[in-house]
Amino acid sequence: MVRTLDFDKLKSLAYYSLSEGDALSLLRVVGPATFAGLEVIYGVKNGEISIDAVSKGDIVLIQRDICRHHDIYEQIIYLAHSENKPVIFDIDDLLFELPDDHPDRISGYFTESLLPMLQAIIEADLVTVATAPLRDYLLPFNEAVEVIPNYLNDSLWKFKSIDNSQRQDNVVTIGYMGGHSHTPDLLMVLPALKIINEKYPNRIRYHFWGIEPPEELIGLSQVDWCPPKSSYYQDFVNFFQNNTADIGIGPLCDNIFNACKSPIKYLEYGANGLPGVYSCVKPYSDIVTNGVDGYLASTIYDWVEMLTALIETLELRKEFLLNAQHNIRQNWLLSDNYHNQFRLYKDSINQIRSVQIKSPTTFNIVRQLSGQYYEEFNRIKFRNKTQLDPLQKTDQNGQLLHNQLYENRQKVQLLNDQLKESNKRILLMSTQLIDDQKIVQTLKNQINIGQAKENSLREQLGDRDKQMEVNNSKMNEEETTIHSLSTQNEELQNEILSYVMSKSWIWTRPFRKIIYKIRQAFK
């Protein structure tokens, strides 16, 4: 019996996932459904799983390790099939091939989910994955495996450019963003980061978002760490968009697990204004054009040389970022591609098969093992909960101490951040104080110069007053002399007039003429 669904009437989907609000749900289900105007009916709320959501949705989408609750998963599948509703299983990582040094492999976090996930892959009406290598890996288990890439949700991300107009220094920040599961990848590139740090001791800063920096770096003053503050993707986007770096790095160890991952870091770095250096492995080698919109590094030497080139050349960083953002805008925006996801649902669902399993015998074995392992895991959990032996108690205490250490590190990081801000303010205040002191000293110098000028003027005025007194004295003496001469002159004039008017003057006149002529004759 072939079940069909009129896609035009597809208005809602029942969504079962343990990833409430994180990147997995926002990137692959909730974000695309929002763009499409499709109602998402959550089958999991606050950790509680509701079977009733199956009946409320037009299709049922099960994501990743929700299958660890095997008894509830079986009920969801049974109800969906009984109501003639197609079941889609979505997975974005090759969890069956976790490397030996992967933190989730070491902790066993996904162990109880592996067989149930394989059961879900085999019996799902449609399996959706993020990359072609992951599809190729799963095709032997189910022929209906399709790729739905992880796109950049441009309703959340805003494109940023490189702006150095406000920079007061020549420091270049190298940033890395990722969760604790990327510890092996970060350790792989650590030798290159140490070389770069030695090469540029006063010009480089490292900023880590999420994952704790390696021990060799965490104690350095030029290393900043922002521990994860929330598992919600929206919170992460808001936080990351308010932070920045000059260069982003995307190291990945070369293994089949990483080869099946999506290049989401390239998209997020690009949107946030970070040109990047990435490992020359899938998925980055499928999206990055080496030397055009990023660098692809294969060796430690490559990492050092490529980071050096970006550190030294601002124009190269700008060129890489412009090209990366052009690529993202042209090919990787969710707003331009969400419809492909629901067209894929339509094309696949309209020809849905009635659980035509390739190997029923294998499926039955997987299903039986899933149930048995689920029961055994529950028994182990019950024993661990009720009968903890001393070693387990020690482990619990150790975990408690580890958690306390982590909290203390967070507090120390917060205090360090506050101390840095205080130091910046003190430095600013000191600079302002020095400037104020310089201004005060300048004013004092100007006052001293003014006082010197005033004293000089006063001395000059004093000299002028003395000179005026001398001049006045001389003027008085001259006036006295003039008055005396004037008196003498007047007396002389009177005497002459009296003489001229006298008779003796008149009688002696002829004799004066004769005497004058005689003098003229003897000259």
Side-chain angles (χ1 to χ4, degrees):
M1 172 183 173
V2 178
R3 288 176 283 139
T4 63
L5 178 70
D6 184 355
F7 186 77
D8 294 333
K9 295 182 179 178
L10 179 60
K11 303 298 181 184
S12 63
L13 65 85
Y15 177 45
Y16 287 90
S17 175
L18 298 180
S19 302
E20 296 183 65
D22 69 2
L24 181 64
S25 65
L26 264 293
L27 290 173
R28 301 196 55 76
V29 179
V30 178
T34 301
F35 271 105
L38 199 66
E39 181 185 3
V40 177
I41 300 169
Y42 293 91
V44 182
K45 293 182 179 180
N46 299 321
E48 296 294 326
I49 304 175
S50 171
I51 306 299
D52 296 338
V54 172
S55 301
K56 299 176 182 178
D58 296 321
I59 59 175
V60 179
L61 194 150
I62 299 173
Q63 197 169 52
R64 210 157 77 165
D65 60 327
I66 186 73
C67 310
R68 69 172 62 235
H69 302 282
H70 188 259
D71 55 342
I72 300 178
Y73 165 76
E74 291 261 273
Q75 296 177 50
I76 293 171
I77 292 295
Y78 177 81
L79 182 58
H81 287 174
S82 65
E83 294 186 1
N84 201 34
K85 293 182 178 180
V87 176
I88 300 170
F89 181 75
D90 181 71
I91 185 170
D92 71 331
D93 276 328
L94 184 53
L95 299 176
F96 305 105
E97 295 279 0
L98 284 173
D100 293 342
D101 59 350
H102 194 284
D104 290 334
R105 173 73 174 268
I106 295 172
S107 68
Y109 180 78
F110 289 107
T111 302
E112 64 178 309
S113 307
L114 296 178
L115 274 172
M117 283 193 294
L118 182 58
Q119 176 185 340
I121 290 169
I122 294 173
E123 67 178 330
D125 296 305
L126 172 67
V127 178
T128 55
V129 297
T131 64
L134 185 53
R135 176 195 61 195
D136 296 340
Y137 186 95
L138 297 181
L139 275 174
F141 303 101
N142 190 325
E143 294 179 354
V145 182
E146 298 291 349
V147 176
I148 297 177
N150 287 334
Y151 293 104
L152 182 78
N153 190 329
D154 44 318
S155 70
L156 303 178
W157 291 91
K158 307 303 177 186
F159 284 91
K160 296 169 61 177
S161 60
I162 295 177
D163 182 10
N164 276 19
S165 60
Q166 304 300 321
R167 290 288 290 269
Q168 301 295 322
D169 53 40
N170 199 33
V171 174
V172 175
T173 300
I174 298 174
Y176 179 75
M177 171 267 294
H180 79 286
S181 63
H182 287 282
T183 297
D185 304 317
L186 193 55
L187 291 177
M188 178 199 70
V189 78
L190 177 60
L193 301 183
K194 292 168 67 176
I195 293 172
I196 289 293
N197 190 58
E198 294 172 359
K199 188 175 182 180
Y200 300 99
N202 299 315
R203 194 180 171 191
I204 291 297
R205 291 199 68 83
Y206 290 113
H207 203 133
F208 295 88
W209 293 281
I211 189 172
E212 182 177 0
E215 291 184 3
E216 292 88 337
L217 296 180
I218 194 170
L220 301 179
S221 60
Q222 62 269 39
V223 175
D224 299 315
W225 173 38
C226 292
K229 295 179 173 59
S230 171
S231 62
Y232 286 92
Y233 189 65
Q234 175 74 70
D235 294 340
F236 158 72
V237 173
N238 294 339
F239 172 76
F240 194 48
Q241 290 252 272
N242 287 321
N243 284 263
T244 188
D246 299 292
I247 302 168
I249 58 173
L252 275 182
C253 297
D254 189 6
N255 54 56
I256 187 174
F257 172 76
N258 284 335
C260 292
K261 296 182 75 66
S262 76
I264 188 64
K265 201 181 300 294
Y266 166 85
L267 305 181
E268 294 171 342
Y269 279 173
N272 212 42
L274 278 68
V277 181
Y278 306 90
S279 288
C280 189
V281 298
K282 290 179 178 294
Y284 296 127
S285 58
D286 290 337
I287 192 172
V288 177
T289 302
N290 190 32
V292 176
D293 56 353
Y295 273 135
L296 294 173
S298 299
T299 65
I300 294 300
Y301 176 81
D302 288 345
W303 279 98
V304 173
E305 290 298 304
M306 292 171 177
L307 285 172
T308 297
L310 290 177
I311 291 168
E312 295 287 351
T313 314
L314 173 61
E315 293 305 316
L316 183 61
R317 299 202 297 268
K318 290 182 177 180
E319 178 185 344
F320 277 14
L321 179 61
L322 287 175
N323 292 336
Q325 290 186 346
H326 176 75
N327 181 23
I328 296 169
R329 285 189 170 100
Q330 290 293 112
N331 304 298
W332 294 94
L333 295 183
L334 182 59
S335 60
D336 293 333
N337 293 280
Y338 72 90
H339 55 279
N340 294 330
Q341 179 169 343
F342 296 97
R343 184 179 297 117
L344 177 62
Y345 288 168
K346 175 182 177 180
D347 294 342
S348 300
I349 292 172
N350 284 342
Q351 301 178 13
I352 224 71
R353 55 182 172 75
S354 181
V355 194
Q356 297 174 356
I357 296 172
K358 297 176 68 173
S359 177
T361 301
T362 301
F363 170 71
N364 287 332
I365 292 174
V366 170
R367 184 181 179 189
Q368 289 298 321
L369 288 176
S370 296
Q372 291 179 40
Y373 276 108
Y374 174 71
E375 293 170 0
E376 180 60 23
F377 274 114
N378 280 342
R379 283 193 289 269
I380 292 174
K381 290 177 183 178
F382 178 77
R383 286 198 299 269
N384 289 342
K385 185 176 181 180
T386 57
Q387 297 178 350
L388 288 174
D389 58 31
L391 180 60
Q392 289 171 319
K393 290 181 180 179
T394 301
D395 289 341
Q396 276 194 335
N397 292 335
Q399 184 62 42
L400 179 61
L401 290 174
H402 177 78
N403 293 340
Q404 291 175 345
L405 178 61
Y406 177 76
E407 292 176 0
N408 289 338
R409 282 182 174 176
Q410 286 184 308
K411 292 178 181 178
V412 169
Q413 182 66 30
L414 179 60
L415 290 174
N416 284 335
D417 292 341
Q418 293 174 347
L419 179 60
K420 289 178 182 178
E421 291 299 322
S422 297
N423 288 337
K424 288 180 181 178
R425 288 195 293 269
I426 291 172
L427 179 60
L428 179 61
M429 292 173 65
S430 298
T431 303
Q432 292 174 343
L433 180 59
I434 292 172
D435 292 340
D436 291 342
Q437 289 175 339
K438 289 180 179 179
I439 293 172
V440 170
Q441 186 61 44
T442 301
L443 292 174
K444 285 183 177 179
N445 293 339
Q446 293 175 349
I447 291 171
N448 292 335
I449 293 172
Q451 288 177 342
K453 288 181 178 179
E454 181 183 354
N455 293 335
S456 176
L457 290 173
R458 286 184 177 179
E459 290 178 359
Q460 293 175 8
L461 288 173
D463 293 341
R464 288 181 182 179
D465 290 342
K466 291 179 181 178
Q467 187 64 37
M468 287 179 66
E469 289 179 0
V470 171
N471 292 339
N472 289 336
S473 177
K474 288 181 178 181
M475 287 177 63
N476 291 333
E477 291 177 359
E478 289 176 355
E479 287 179 356
T480 302
T481 303
I482 291 170
H483 184 268
S484 175
L485 290 173
S486 177
T487 303
Q488 292 175 7
N489 183 49
E490 184 177 356
E491 291 175 352
L492 183 58
Q493 286 178 353
N494 291 333
E495 183 179 351
I496 292 171
L497 180 62
S498 175
Y499 181 73
V500 170
M501 298 299 293
S502 66
K503 291 181 178 182
S504 60
W505 173 261
I506 297 173
W507 290 345
T508 60
R509 183 174 182 186
F511 294 104
R512 289 198 300 275
K513 287 183 179 183
I514 293 171
I515 292 171
Y516 174 75
K517 288 180 179 183
I518 291 172
R519 286 178 179 172
Q520 292 294 320
F522 282 100
K523 283 185 176 180

